[in-house]
Each structure stands twice: as structure tokens, then as C-alpha cells.
Amino acid sequence: MTKPSLEGLLSRRLEGMGTSAIRDLLSQAGKKDFISLGGGYPAPESFPLKIIDDLDKIVKDKYGPSIRQYGATEGYRAPDGTVPLLEELPNFLKRPNRNIEVSPENIAITAGSQEALTILGMMFLDKGDKVAVESPTYLGAIQAFSPFKPNYIELKTDEFGIIPENLDLVFTENPDIKFLYTVPTFQNPSGRTIPLERRRIVADTLKKHAKFAVEDDPYSELRYEGEHLSSIKSLAPDNVIHLFTFSKTLAPDFRIGGMVASKEIITDANMIKQGLTLFTSNYNQAMVTEYLKGGYIDQHIPKIIKLYRERRNIMAQAIDENFPDIFKYTLPEGGMFLWVNLKKEFIDLATMLNMKKILEEAKRSGIGFVPGAPFFARSNGNEIAMRLNYTNQGPENIVEATRVIGEILQQNLSEISISAISF
Amino acid sequence: MTKPSLEGLLSRRLEGMGTSAIRDLLSQAGKKDFISLGGGYPAPESFPLKIIDDLDKIVKDKYGPSIRQYGATEGYRAPDGTVPLLEELPNFLKRPNRNIEVSPENIAITAGSQEALTILGMMFLDKGDKVAVESPTYLGAIQAFSPFKPNYIELKTDEFGIIPENLDLVFTENPDIKFLYTVPTFQNPSGRTIPLERRRIVADTLKKHAKFAVEDDPYSELRYEGEHLSSIKSLAPDNVIHLFTFSKTLAPDFRIGGMVASKEIITDANMIKQGLTLFTSNYNQAMVTEYLKGGYIDQHIPKIIKLYRERRNIMAQAIDENFPDIFKYTLPEGGMFLWVNLKKEFIDLATMLNMKKILEEAKRSGIGFVPGAPFFARSNGNEIAMRLNYTNQGPENIVEATRVIGEILQQNLSEISISAISF
């Protein structure tokens, strides 16, 4: 015996975790002449390179070499003892798209909101614990929670998100649920937003059952039209752990996000984070602090919105023109995705269409998108739905990719008709 | 019922995790006029600010805006399809302080080596699984592994680290051990290094029992004297998962580290990392790539070594002059720490001295250090040992802090004598 065998050595938590469809797809995304509508990527043209250079100068002048040192898990502490990002964030959270009133002690800083999801999984979930999730839900949350082997309970949703009566029923039938995970605004993948009135009922339902919600909100700054809605956190402050990120409003590479919760939860979160990654980059915290403080965010976001609104409209029109009439989509008022699925009256076609085959054909034509399956916690493997990202491609590519996918869908549909006729 | 109670809601993995002595201490570190020998912090003067500015220009010119985008979990992929850091790292790993021959497919990039420790914990450890660790061992590894509730088996060590006969015995008595965790070079906290001959026996023992070791090596570049030693990985390539970091050789804030292992383990590591934090900063990966490629590391490291060698010597002399004669330390040939503990013949004093009281008195005098207890996986809570960091303070502060600690030790010792006499 010399070489150890991995068999029997890996933790039970790894059982059933495999490479996902999205990983396979993303590995194609860098290829030349490949048009990916796959990732949840911002437009590279939206990154404020000039602002980043200005911030870099400010940070170097203001913070000095200590910015390159190890930092406290709780957040970068300036030589004067203050924690600049924690002190700036309450202003950011108060903006009308969140409307949250909190103190610095209620905030944990994390490496993107993905790390916050991992921390919450570690904090709350033992094997078999119940988590309520939307159907569909954000696949990154499933990836963060699944190593802790929870039992997902899928909530019914419509074009306005969670159906409150169903949430009430699920809480009543499962009083041991650990928390609800929800993306209320411009949801990934569906693009839909829970309206204010329904948010109030969700908040009241949380209070009625004394339950926590994890409210993941990466997109609410990116509203192209309509009024900003208050977060569920603002409607049920004691019952909601709220997540934010600067990946969509500054740039993903800074890896700055965070969590808003009770002081008790924040203390535990920081203790867990110390074991996970020790601390979050001080320099990047300082960059975000100055981005907020200097009002750069208010110059910058309108430019992103203008860019994305146009791309959303172009994609919506291209779908209208090219996709078979059996599909529908929700036109989102913001965010980064169009979610295309079958109209109710054609739902029977779901068993006849093969989404894997459709995606394979698209990839062979140099086009990528994410199929529906990975967004369902309890997937049947062939959900007939597509998440199409419109932010990371220019207008021409959006039109071309949508046209090609439309053609493939038409072709697959006509094959069904033929085989149906031949019976 | 409105507000959810955390009682009964937290995962079982959180039981027994509390705020640690080191957390309490680090929270003091930023205070004015407080001299901390506590953290494992590099000297801020060692950060190559001019090189960082040069690298920034190179990275912006060479990599363009895509550097601010989401990146692949496996590593930043340049527009030409290459993964620059992964392709540069084999040269870095081949240097004589590691002597490791590998391909890019054997390397995972992580947010500092702390994230690599977490990934390994998630990959291998279920509740009660056995892990062999040195006594003392790196407390950050304990923090990373403990949420998965392993059972630690402490190995006997001397001034040359692991005692091979004891390792053989522990493997024989515990054939189900998941892995050995070791810091062979300039260990944190003890400063000691496993000599080459003993490394060979450790490697053979791993092979004999078909066991894995996790070899954590943050410090081997920082050798002030003596010859570089090959890593254990180079002596038993199939049996060792090797960790590296740029926190001590560039600056901690970049959060770039990684893991070297079989392709199979690297694939699993990247899958787990995707759930944890999605990806590691592309920009920081590019900065490290150019730091290595441009030979900046070879200009820079000799400067760090010169600075640290002087500080180590100053601290050693100050201990010789100020500490009671019952203490000893190992003079490390590199790294960042002096470990002070009782001479064998005075070991009985351990039950009479109170380390918590000694630390409290030091803190009241404005001096911090880390007591021994948190570095023992199975601590009695009053290990009479101190980890003293000499890299993060200038010569005057090192002398002053050492003098004050020495005085407090003398004082506590004389109280024991008096109380012994009064019996």
C-alpha cells in the first residue's frame, strides 16, 4: 500500500454532488465565436474603469499601507479605530430599493453574497433540516446549502413570486422549517418581482409563524422602470436576514457583499467566517466605501440601467419574433434575466420536448443558455424552461443568439408534430 | 409569536464554538499605544507598494476590463483561453523551498490558504472522523476543521517536529484516520522545522499506511539562514495535499493561496469552492501572476528576510535578557514566530502559573501576545506557552514588549515562590 484511495475517504456531504450543467456550460463561455446567454454576468462595458482608477488614488492616499495587511473578520479597521465600510453601509441600505434602518453592528461583510449563503448554511443546517425555497430558485443558493444536506420544500410561485397562501400552508405543515430563502426582486432565474402588497403578507406570515427568511437582493438597484419597493426586511425586521452585494453595481471581481441581521446572528456569522476565509479584502472594502461615500454610485448606476433596459427590450422583441408561440416570458422591470417557459395550455408538451437535446443543438451552433432544471431544488431533470441573460452581450449577439435558439425550438417542435401525426 | 428564537435553530455544528482568546486579543490590536505580538502579521513595511503600483499598470494594460468580471472557479481565464496564474504556478512550486513538480491541472486557486483548509474539511470530514495534528498546531486549521466536528488525535512533537515513531504508532492504532495535518517548515506557532531526514521518514510512513497528509506551507520562502528543504509533497507526491499562499510573500490582502493535489481532488475542491465563494478575484490572480512572471518576487523576498532576521535576533536577545530562566524557545531559521515554553525540568510549575492572569496583566500594560492554549487541539486551557510574533513591530517595540512580559513572568513566578514558602 502506498497511494491512498479516495474511496470511502470523502465526507458523506459530497455524495450526490456532481459537476452541474451550468459548470459544463460556463466552461464553454470563454470560447471564441461562442455567444453565451448563460452566465449571470454584468456587461463588461458597465464596469466604471475611470471611477475605479479614481477610487484607487483616494484609497491609497487615505488609507495607507495598512490596507494591504490582514484585517479583522468584522471589517477593515482604519488606524483611527473606525470600520469605514460598516459605517457607510447603513446609508446604502436606507436607499428606497431596500429601505432598511440598521446600525453597523447589524452588518457582516462577506466575500460576495455567495459566502453569506455558505455561512447561513453552516449556521442553520444539519442533515435533513427543512428549507423553503421558491420554485424556481437561485441555483447558487442550492449549491451553498446542499453540502449541509437539507431537505428542500418547494413553494408554489406565479408571475408575482411566492403565493402567500401556499407559504402559510407550508409553514403550518412544517413548523420545523429552518428558514425561507427568497429573491423577491428581479429574481434569478425568473426575473419576477414580489409586489409590495404581497411582500406585506409574506412579512406577516413570517411573523405569524415566528420564522426567518433569508432575503437575497443582488438586483434591486438595477430597476429600469416602476417604483422602488421596500425590502421584506423593512417590513419584518426581526424575521429577515437580508443579503446585498456590489457585484452587479460596481463589479463582481471586488467580491464584496454582506448580510444584515440581529447582532446575535452577526456575531455567529463572523465567527464562522473567520474559519472559512479569515477576512474580506481590506482594499476592496475601502474601494466600495469610497464608491458609496463619494456619490460615484449615483453617477454610475443610471448608465448601467440605460444599457440593460435597451438589451432587455431587444431580447424581448427577438423572442416575440423568433420563438414558437407555445412559450411565454415575464418582462422584468430590472435585473439581468428573461425566463422563458411553456404557456399553461401547452404544458403537456413538456414530456415530449427534450431540453438536454435542445441545449446540445444550441451549443453546436455556438450559442449557450442555462436550461431550467438546475433552478429547481427538486428537479425532474427536464424542466422546459430557459434562463436567458441579456446583460453580457451586445445587441447584435442578443438578436442572433435568440434567433438561433428560436429556430432550434421550432425544429424540435415540428419533430414532435411529425411523430404525433405518424401515430 | 413574531420574533423567531435562535434557540434550537442553530446547527449542531455550532455547538461548542465560542469566541476564542485570539479573537478577543485581536480586537485589542488596533488600539493606540498597544504593542501586539499577537497576530501572525507581516511587517507593513514589507509590502512592496511600488511593485504593486507597477503590477497594477501591467495588469490593466495586459488583461483589460474582463479582469473585473466574474471568473471561472478554476482560475481567471484570459481572453486567449489560457489560465495565467495556473500556468505560472508550477514554476513557483518548483523553487527549492518546495521542489514540487506538477501541472496546472493539479492546482486549485483559493482565497488565501484558509479557504483551502475549509474546502478540505468539507471534502473529508464527517462528525467523529479522525484527524492527526501536531501538538501544538496551527489554530486557523482547527477553526477551519472544527465545524465538521472531527476527532483530533494529537501527535507527539519535539524541537524537530513530528516524532516519526509516534506517527507510525498513531497510524497503526487508528487505521481510519482521514489525514495528517502538518506545518513542516517554520511552524505556526512553534517556529520549528522538520529536518530532511525526518521528512523522508514521514513520507515513508504515509506511504506505508497509504495515508494522506495536508502539508501547509505559508512560510518556507522566508528562510533567513540554512538550506532550503524539499517539501514532504516532493517526497511522497501521491500522499500529500500541499498548500501555499502569497499572504506572507506579497501581502495578505490579495487573498491568493491554493492547493496542490491529484486531478481528482482538485476537481472536487473546485466544485466545493464554487458553492463557498464562486471564484477568487481575477485582478488579484493577475497581480500575483505578474509578480511571479516579472521576477518581482526575487527582488522582494530578500528585503523581507533581511527585515525579519534582524527582528528575530532582537527578540531572542530580549528574551534571553528578560525572561525567567525556567523558559526556553526554539530559534527559528525563518518564518514569523518565537514559541516560548517551560524547560523540561520546570514542567511542574505549569499547574502553578496562570496563563490567563499573565495575559491579562500584559494587556493591562498595553502588551499583547497569544497564549499557548488555542494551539492545542485538545487543550487543558492553561498550557504555559506563548507565541510571540516579531515581524509586525519595530525593534524598539519588540524590546519594550518583551521586557514587560518578562517582568510579569518574573512577578508571577516570585508569587509562586512566596506562596510555596508560606506553606
Side-chain angles (χ1 to χ4, degrees):
Chain A
M1 279 180 88
T2 54
K3 200 172 163 175
S5 154
L6 281 180
E7 208 171 319
L9 203 64
L10 296 176
S11 75
R12 289 189 291 276
R13 137 178 3 96
L14 249 68
E15 286 163 14
M17 279 178 75
T19 53
S20 69
I22 198 169
R23 279 170 53 83
D24 296 347
L25 180 70
L26 291 183
S27 70
Q28 310 249 0
K31 278 193 186 166
K32 225 178 146 244
D33 299 329
F34 190 87
I35 308 176
S36 175
L37 309 177
Y41 286 16
E45 311 91 278
S46 78
F47 302 147
L49 301 183
K50 171 72 179 63
I51 291 177
I52 290 170
D53 280 343
D54 290 351
L55 294 172
D56 176 66
K57 281 189 200 79
I58 295 169
V59 166
K60 279 178 185 155
D61 281 358
K62 211 163 164 174
Y63 296 80
S66 74
I67 207 77
R68 301 296 183 185
Q69 187 57 282
Y70 283 103
T73 308
E74 290 75 7
Y76 171 69
R77 187 172 289 129
D80 67 1
T82 58
V83 182
L85 181 55
L86 279 189
E87 286 174 20
E88 190 57 36
L89 283 169
N91 292 325
F92 168 76
L93 294 161
K94 229 183 278 171
R95 296 161 72 97
N97 58 304
R98 300 183 196 263
N99 193 23
I100 298 172
E101 292 271 354
V102 279
S103 328
E105 65 181 24
N106 297 114
I107 306 171
I109 297 167
T110 57
S113 45
Q114 187 70 27
E115 192 185 36
L117 292 169
T118 298
I119 290 170
L120 292 169
M122 288 193 81
M123 192 183 299
F124 289 111
L125 301 179
D126 288 309
K127 191 177 174 181
D129 281 352
K130 291 175 187 170
V131 179
V133 295
E134 293 159 340
S135 174
T137 187
Y138 171 49
L139 75 89
I142 300 181
Q143 284 182 305
F145 299 151
S146 287
F148 309 108
K149 301 277 175 197
N151 187 1
Y152 295 107
I153 300 187
E154 282 191 297
L155 297 166
K156 286 181 189 157
T157 61
D158 60 19
E159 60 180 307
F160 302 112
I162 293 170
I163 298 167
E165 295 73 23
N166 179 249
L167 181 67
D168 188 50
L169 181 72
V170 163
F171 280 159
T172 304
E173 288 179 345
N174 302 276
D176 54 345
I177 273 182
K178 287 285 182 115
F179 58 82
L180 156 70
Y181 171 76
T182 173
V183 187
T185 310
F186 317 141
Q187 196 223 24
N188 181 354
S190 71
R192 61 100 199 99
T193 292
I194 305 181
L196 188 59
E197 195 39 43
R198 217 181 252 197
R199 287 176 190 231
R200 286 195 218 281
I201 309 175
V202 168
D204 290 343
T205 309
L206 291 169
K207 290 178 192 166
K208 175 181 162 192
H209 294 274
K211 288 289 164 205
F212 277 119
V214 172
E215 177 181 41
D216 195 356
D217 182 9
Y219 305 112
S220 66
E221 279 84 18
L222 304 181
R223 175 176 282 281
Y224 322 146
E225 58 204 24
E227 299 270 306
H228 280 303
L229 301 177
S230 291
S231 60
I232 302 175
K233 173 78 180 169
S234 71
L235 304 170
D238 290 336
N239 298 67
V240 178
I241 299 166
H242 180 94
L243 308 189
F244 60 91
T245 177
F246 290 92
S247 292
K248 323 291 179 186
T249 46
L250 177 55
D253 199 55
F254 287 89
R255 314 306 301 121
I256 300 289
M259 172 191 311
V260 185
S262 69
K263 199 180 157 184
E264 207 177 353
I265 289 176
I266 296 300
T267 302
D268 280 352
N270 281 323
M271 184 183 66
I272 294 171
K273 179 180 163 71
Q274 186 168 57
L276 284 176
T277 55
L278 287 182
F279 73 106
T280 309
S281 164
N282 300 316
Y283 173 82
N284 290 352
Q285 288 182 50
M287 292 287 280
V288 168
T289 306
E290 300 304 322
Y291 176 71
L292 294 173
K293 249 188 175 161
Y296 295 95
I297 187 172
D298 294 313
Q299 298 168 28
H300 176 215
I301 287 185
K303 291 182 193 171
I304 313 180
I305 287 175
K306 187 166 175 288
L307 192 69
Y308 289 178
R309 188 196 288 119
E310 188 199 352
R311 292 180 179 189
R312 176 203 61 176
N313 293 344
I314 288 168
M315 184 181 273
Q317 194 188 335
I319 293 175
D320 290 344
E321 289 170 5
N322 293 287
F323 275 32
D325 212 31
I326 60 167
F327 290 100
K328 67 174 165 54
Y329 61 88
T330 310
L331 193 76
E333 293 190 326
M336 299 172 62
F337 305 105
L338 279 176
W339 175 252
V340 180
N341 58 358
L342 286 171
K343 287 180 182 167
K344 225 176 194 163
E345 58 268 39
F346 296 102
I347 213 84
D348 288 348
L349 290 177
T351 53
M352 285 185 262
L353 282 167
N354 182 335
M355 209 56 207
K356 268 194 189 143
K357 178 168 167 274
I358 291 166
L359 178 59
E360 270 313 310
E361 290 173 16
K363 279 160 71 178
R364 253 179 280 138
S365 305
I367 308 292
F369 63 87
V370 186
F375 298 101
F376 294 89
R378 298 168 164 276
S379 168
N380 67 30
N382 190 39
E383 279 77 6
I384 304 302
M386 284 157 277
R387 188 192 74 174
L388 305 181
N389 167 270
Y390 51 79
T391 58
N392 188 33
Q393 297 289 341
E396 273 181 44
N397 280 358
I398 291 175
V399 170
E400 172 63 9
T402 310
R403 192 188 59 73
V404 171
I405 299 170
E407 246 173 40
I408 293 169
L409 292 172
Q410 293 283 11
Q411 180 60 32
N412 275 268
L413 201 61
S414 62
E415 283 166 19
I416 294 178
S417 314
I418 290 163
S419 105
I421 289 167
S422 73
F423 260 71
Chain B
M1 281 180 86
T2 54
K3 199 172 161 174
S5 153
L6 280 180
E7 206 170 321
L9 203 65
L10 296 177
S11 75
R12 288 189 291 275
R13 128 177 15 89
L14 249 66
E15 286 163 15
M17 278 177 77
T19 52
S20 68
I22 197 167
R23 277 170 55 82
D24 296 347
L25 179 70
L26 291 183
S27 70
Q28 309 248 3
K31 277 193 187 164
K32 225 177 146 245
D33 300 327
F34 190 88
I35 309 177
S36 175
L37 309 178
Y41 287 17
E45 310 91 279
S46 78
F47 303 147
L49 301 182
K50 171 72 179 65
I51 290 177
I52 290 170
D53 281 344
D54 290 351
L55 294 172
D56 177 67
K57 281 189 201 81
I58 295 170
V59 165
K60 278 177 183 155
D61 281 358
K62 210 162 164 176
Y63 297 78
S66 74
I67 206 77
R68 302 295 183 185
Q69 187 58 281
Y70 283 104
T73 307
E74 289 77 5
Y76 171 69
R77 189 172 288 129
D80 67 2
T82 58
V83 182
L85 182 54
L86 279 190
E87 287 174 20
E88 191 56 38
L89 283 169
N91 292 324
F92 169 75
L93 293 161
K94 228 182 281 171
R95 296 162 73 96
N97 57 306
R98 299 182 196 263
N99 193 24
I100 298 172
E101 292 271 354
V102 279
S103 330
E105 64 181 25
N106 297 115
I107 306 170
I109 298 167
T110 56
S113 45
Q114 188 70 28
E115 191 185 37
L117 292 169
T118 299
I119 289 170
L120 291 170
M122 289 192 79
M123 193 183 298
F124 288 111
L125 301 178
D126 288 309
K127 192 178 173 180
D129 281 352
K130 293 176 187 167
V131 179
V133 296
E134 293 158 340
S135 174
T137 187
Y138 172 50
L139 77 88
I142 299 181
Q143 284 182 304
F145 299 151
S146 286
F148 309 108
K149 302 277 178 197
N151 187 1
Y152 295 107
I153 299 186
E154 281 191 298
L155 296 167
K156 287 182 187 153
T157 62
D158 60 20
E159 59 179 308
F160 303 111
I162 293 170
I163 299 168
E165 296 71 24
N166 179 248
L167 182 67
D168 188 50
L169 180 72
V170 163
F171 280 159
T172 304
E173 287 179 348
N174 302 276
D176 54 345
I177 275 183
K178 288 286 183 113
F179 58 80
L180 154 70
Y181 171 77
T182 173
V183 187
T185 310
F186 316 139
Q187 198 223 21
N188 181 352
S190 70
R192 61 99 199 99
T193 292
I194 306 181
L196 187 60
E197 195 39 41
R198 217 180 253 197
R199 287 176 191 232
R200 284 192 220 281
I201 310 175
V202 168
D204 289 343
T205 310
L206 291 169
K207 288 178 194 168
K208 175 181 162 192
H209 294 274
K211 287 290 164 205
F212 276 118
V214 173
E215 177 181 41
D216 195 356
D217 182 8
Y219 306 111
S220 67
E221 279 85 17
L222 305 181
R223 176 176 281 281
Y224 321 147
E225 56 203 27
E227 299 271 306
H228 281 302
L229 301 178
S230 290
S231 60
I232 303 175
K233 172 78 179 169
S234 72
L235 303 170
D238 290 336
N239 298 68
V240 178
I241 299 166
H242 179 93
L243 309 189
F244 60 91
T245 177
F246 291 91
S247 292
K248 322 293 177 185
T249 47
L250 177 55
D253 199 55
F254 286 89
R255 314 305 302 123
I256 300 288
M259 172 192 309
V260 186
S262 69
K263 199 179 158 185
E264 208 177 354
I265 289 175
I266 295 302
T267 301
D268 280 351
N270 281 321
M271 183 182 68
I272 293 170
K273 180 182 163 71
Q274 186 167 58
L276 283 176
T277 54
L278 286 182
F279 73 106
T280 309
S281 163
N282 301 316
Y283 173 82
N284 290 353
Q285 287 182 50
M287 292 288 278
V288 169
T289 307
E290 300 303 323
Y291 177 71
L292 294 174
K293 249 188 176 161
Y296 295 94
I297 186 171
D298 293 313
Q299 296 168 29
H300 176 215
I301 286 184
K303 292 182 192 167
I304 314 180
I305 287 176
K306 187 165 175 289
L307 191 70
Y308 290 178
R309 188 196 290 120
E310 189 200 351
R311 292 181 178 188
R312 177 203 61 176
N313 293 344
I314 289 169
M315 183 180 274
Q317 196 189 334
I319 294 175
D320 289 343
E321 289 170 5
N322 293 288
F323 275 31
D325 212 31
I326 60 167
F327 290 100
K328 66 175 166 51
Y329 61 88
T330 309
L331 193 77
E333 294 190 325
M336 299 171 63
F337 306 105
L338 278 176
W339 174 252
V340 180
N341 58 358
L342 286 171
K343 287 180 182 167
K344 226 177 195 160
E345 57 270 37
F346 296 103
I347 213 83
D348 288 348
L349 290 176
T351 53
M352 287 183 261
L353 283 167
N354 182 335
M355 210 58 208
K356 268 194 190 143
K357 178 169 167 276
I358 291 166
L359 179 59
E360 270 315 311
E361 290 174 16
K363 279 159 70 177
R364 253 179 280 139
S365 305
I367 308 291
F369 62 87
V370 187
F375 298 100
F376 294 89
R378 297 167 164 278
S379 169
N380 67 30
N382 191 39
E383 279 76 8
I384 304 303
M386 285 157 275
R387 189 193 74 175
L388 306 181
N389 167 271
Y390 50 79
T391 59
N392 188 33
Q393 297 289 343
E396 274 181 44
N397 280 358
I398 291 175
V399 170
E400 172 62 9
T402 309
R403 193 190 57 75
V404 172
I405 299 171
E407 248 173 40
I408 293 169
L409 292 173
Q410 293 282 12
Q411 180 60 33
N412 275 270
L413 203 59
S414 61
E415 282 166 18
I416 293 178
S417 313
I418 291 163
S419 105
I421 290 166
S422 72
F423 261 70

